[in-house]
Amino acid sequence: MRYLSTRGQAPPVTFSEVLLKGLAPDGGLYLPTHWPKYEIADLKKSLGAQPTYTALAGEIIWPFVEDALNRDELNDLLEKTYASFASESIIPTKRITENLWLAELFHGPTLAFKDVALQLVGHLFDHQLRKSSERITIVGATSGDTGSAAIEACRDREAMDIVILHPHGKTSEVQRRQMTTVDSLNVHNVAIEGNFDDCQNLVKAMFRDDEFSQAINMSAVNSINWARVMAQIVYYWWTSIEVTGASKVKFCVPSGNFGNIFAGYGAHLTGLPVEKFIVASNSNDVLDRFFKTGEMEARTVAPTLSPSMDIQISSNFERLLFEILDRDGQRVQTLLEQFHNEGSLAVDASTLQELNIKWASSRVNDDETLEMIAAIYKETGELVDPHTAVGIAAAKHNNEDPDIPIICLATAHPSKFPEAVHTATGIKPELPPHLDDLYERKEDYSVLPNSLEDVKEFILNRTGN
Ligand SMILES: *Cc1c(COP(=O)(O)O)cnc(C)c1O
């Protein structure tokens, strides 16, 4: 298996190269040269009627990583990865109404779905760095969930340092504490006096600075990393097998950067039957507008109760564009340049029509989000977080065929966003046992001005390069 760039101008590379890189040299994102195909009957034959999550993950992931590690090593990494999850089935599914199901992706260490992939990516990085005796510095910017998930995935590893920039005073307290209370020598938290875009711009500027990025052997774990998408493909197969035995199903996914739902499409391209993908947006509805009009136009970001979806540029959308344009990298490149220069791009009417066979979307504002949290609690006794509630509301808007189950991905634990849940239900959701002293733990982070020179100096000093 080799990997290609969505912009068609970069040479194919191996999984090992894709893992540590992220972006292709032509600015595109990596995708496999072909999608391996699985059939439910074959999977059951090799895994038994009731496979474990890690056994299924081994089968699905193996063809993608074949030349970077052997099968026993992969199984071993998967066992280690999912041992950190608080639920025995790793990703439990629950029926909430007649045909709506929840897939709880939040039983990892930081209570958001990002753990499912990042925990594995941490182990894959570690494995590869040991083999090559390299040392890297992972640098990332976060508005909340990604930072803590990346820190938990990379903490205490000998071959890496991790530096996470967050906007000072602009993340929720739970999110900040999940990052700043990790007591590990290779973890470095920086609060930047600025907003999330400032943090992101600092990271981009450091990547462009060849001398600096080479000096610290800089790497990233952001959501355009192929390995994250790959790890997420597994739970679409898993939940579909659980709910329907892998027959007719729709998925509804609270979306921001489009990494999660694109992994669902990846599962479909590997053979999983999926009737429809429902893209759920909050008031930052760039994706919903695209699936309704065929035009993608970025507007300014408005803060909402579901902050991990407060995005106007969905990086992973480029991967879908590549697939629907029959893998024509040149056209993807032209469209993205246009988006970059003019702030919008469009596909023609026939492409949109074809897309709408498999894709639907919906926009859910904060009022409806709170109403949905309250309604689900009243009807089922379940507390759901605001991101999950956006997804459930979008599923209800798109439930025209009640015979087909819809699996709504529950992307965060309700205790990660306690204020919204409290406003809607009057109940303050409790943190799970491994985090129940989070508010008492000692925090450690450095506050720096929004200055590239200051941040570079900090990193050089702290990482021993
Ligand atoms: C990151 C995140 C999302 C958005 O996922 P994408 O892959 O960026 O579309 C949704 N909900 C929660 C809780 C998240 O942390």
Side-chain angles (χ1 to χ4, degrees):
M1 177 78 76
R2 292 288 183 275
Y3 291 86
L4 307 166
S5 163
T6 48
R7 303 206 186 166
Q9 313 287 308
V13 293
T14 62
F15 179 76
S16 305
E17 288 168 88
V18 167
L19 177 64
L20 294 179
K21 280 205 172 81
L23 217 57
D26 60 0
L29 311 189
Y30 284 115
L31 277 174
T33 45
H34 63 277
W35 293 95
K37 298 282 182 208
Y38 310 105
E39 287 211 27
I40 186 65
D42 297 340
L43 289 171
K44 288 205 161 148
K45 212 183 286 165
S46 51
L47 298 170
Q50 273 171 336
T52 62
Y53 188 82
T54 48
L56 180 70
E59 287 291 306
I60 305 280
I61 290 175
W62 176 240
F64 293 110
V65 301
E66 232 172 343
D67 50 33
L69 67 179
N70 68 41
R71 188 65 199 262
D72 287 342
E73 288 171 329
L74 174 63
N75 291 348
D76 181 47
L77 295 187
L78 288 166
E79 287 298 335
K80 280 194 227 160
T81 296
Y82 295 112
S84 66
F85 278 60
S87 166
E88 206 166 322
S89 71
I90 313 299
I91 294 169
T93 47
K94 269 186 195 155
R95 188 178 219 151
I96 45 170
T97 65
E98 246 348 90
N99 73 326
L100 293 197
W101 295 71
L102 276 188
E104 296 183 351
L105 304 178
F106 53 69
H107 294 286
T110 72
L111 312 181
F113 86 92
K114 293 181 172 74
D115 289 324
V116 181
L118 276 167
Q119 284 289 315
L120 178 62
V121 168
H123 282 288
L124 286 166
F125 268 42
D126 196 44
H127 178 84
Q128 183 152 326
L129 294 169
R130 272 170 209 265
K131 272 214 246 186
S132 61
S133 311
E134 261 183 283
R135 189 177 170 79
I136 57 169
T137 306
I138 292 162
V139 184
T142 189
S143 55
D145 293 343
T146 308
S148 57
I151 287 172
E152 275 304 328
C154 300
R155 63 180 294 174
D156 302 322
R157 302 215 188 277
E158 270 166 36
M160 43 181 127
D161 278 292
I162 177 161
V163 182
I164 296 291
L165 314 185
H166 71 263
H168 189 34
K170 295 196 173 69
T171 60
S172 80
E173 185 176 4
V174 176
Q175 287 176 324
R176 187 191 72 237
R177 286 183 162 274
Q178 281 187 315
M179 298 190 277
T180 59
T181 60
V182 173
D183 182 17
S184 175
L185 285 174
N186 73 333
V187 171
H188 315 279
N189 278 292
V190 182
I192 296 291
E193 290 172 326
N195 59 27
F196 171 65
D197 286 335
D198 297 326
C199 298
Q200 183 109 304
N201 288 336
L202 287 165
V203 174
K204 284 188 187 155
M206 287 186 270
F207 264 108
R208 279 196 303 268
D209 182 338
D210 286 336
E211 195 187 328
F212 176 78
S213 67
Q214 279 164 23
I216 64 165
N217 212 1
M218 186 166 168
S219 189
V221 286
N222 48 19
S223 86
I224 55 174
N225 188 301
W226 159 255
R228 286 180 61 178
V229 175
M230 173 188 81
Q232 291 168 178
I233 288 175
V234 177
Y235 55 69
Y236 285 88
W237 277 94
W238 171 257
T239 55
S240 173
I241 292 170
E242 290 265 297
V243 170
T244 71
S247 71
K248 274 191 181 179
V249 69
K250 298 182 190 176
F251 281 98
C252 183
V253 186
S255 294
N257 235 330
F258 208 70
N260 197 356
I261 200 162
F262 181 78
Y265 192 64
H268 181 56
L269 295 176
T270 63
L272 182 71
V274 178
E275 289 294 304
K276 207 134 216 170
F277 292 100
I278 303 163
V279 182
S281 297
N282 63 23
S283 307
N284 297 290
D285 59 354
V286 59
L287 289 166
D288 178 47
R289 282 182 282 116
F290 173 78
F291 285 101
K292 297 216 159 90
T293 65
E295 191 186 356
M296 177 161 284
E297 183 210 3
R299 299 187 181 157
T300 48
V301 176
T304 70
L305 295 174
S306 41
S308 299
M309 297 154 68
D310 290 348
I311 279 177
Q312 289 285 341
I313 297 175
S314 300
S315 322
N316 277 289
F317 178 76
E318 179 165 347
R319 288 189 159 112
L320 179 66
L321 211 48
F322 184 68
E323 294 293 352
I324 61 171
L325 297 175
D326 299 322
R327 301 197 143 206
D328 182 346
Q330 197 65 54
R331 275 196 71 200
V332 173
Q333 163 120 24
T334 309
L335 282 172
L336 280 146
E337 264 167 22
Q338 194 187 336
F339 186 66
H340 184 78
N341 296 332
E342 295 159 30
S344 73
L345 67 79
V347 298
D348 56 38
S350 65
T351 307
L352 178 64
Q353 207 172 15
E354 204 180 313
L355 256 178
N356 286 152
I357 298 171
K358 276 281 172 255
W359 294 83
S361 68
S362 195
R363 168 191 200 273
V364 177
N365 67 21
D366 277 354
D367 287 341
E368 198 184 347
T369 305
L370 291 172
E371 281 163 24
M372 191 50 64
I373 298 174
I376 293 293
Y377 180 63
K378 205 164 150 227
E379 286 159 26
T380 70
E382 289 286 325
L383 293 176
V384 296
D385 103 289
H387 302 79
T388 305
V390 168
I392 299 172
K396 293 201 172 203
H397 298 169
N398 288 278
N399 194 11
E400 59 289 307
D401 186 348
D403 289 336
I404 303 178
I406 306 183
I407 300 177
C408 301
L409 300 193
T411 51
H413 191 281
S415 66
K416 198 154 189 179
F417 299 93
E419 293 82 9
V421 176
H422 185 257
T423 306
T425 64
I427 293 172
K428 191 135 189 238
E430 305 241 336
L431 285 163
H434 75 281
L435 285 169
D436 62 5
D437 62 345
L438 185 68
Y439 290 97
E440 284 98 62
R441 290 184 198 168
K442 190 175 156 294
E443 292 190 78
D444 180 18
Y445 60 100
S446 308
V447 181
L448 294 181
N450 176 19
S451 142
L452 183 58
E453 285 316 308
D454 288 43
V455 176
K456 277 163 61 177
E457 194 186 311
F458 172 90
I459 294 177
L460 287 169
N461 286 336
R462 284 293 284 266
T463 60
N465 285 286

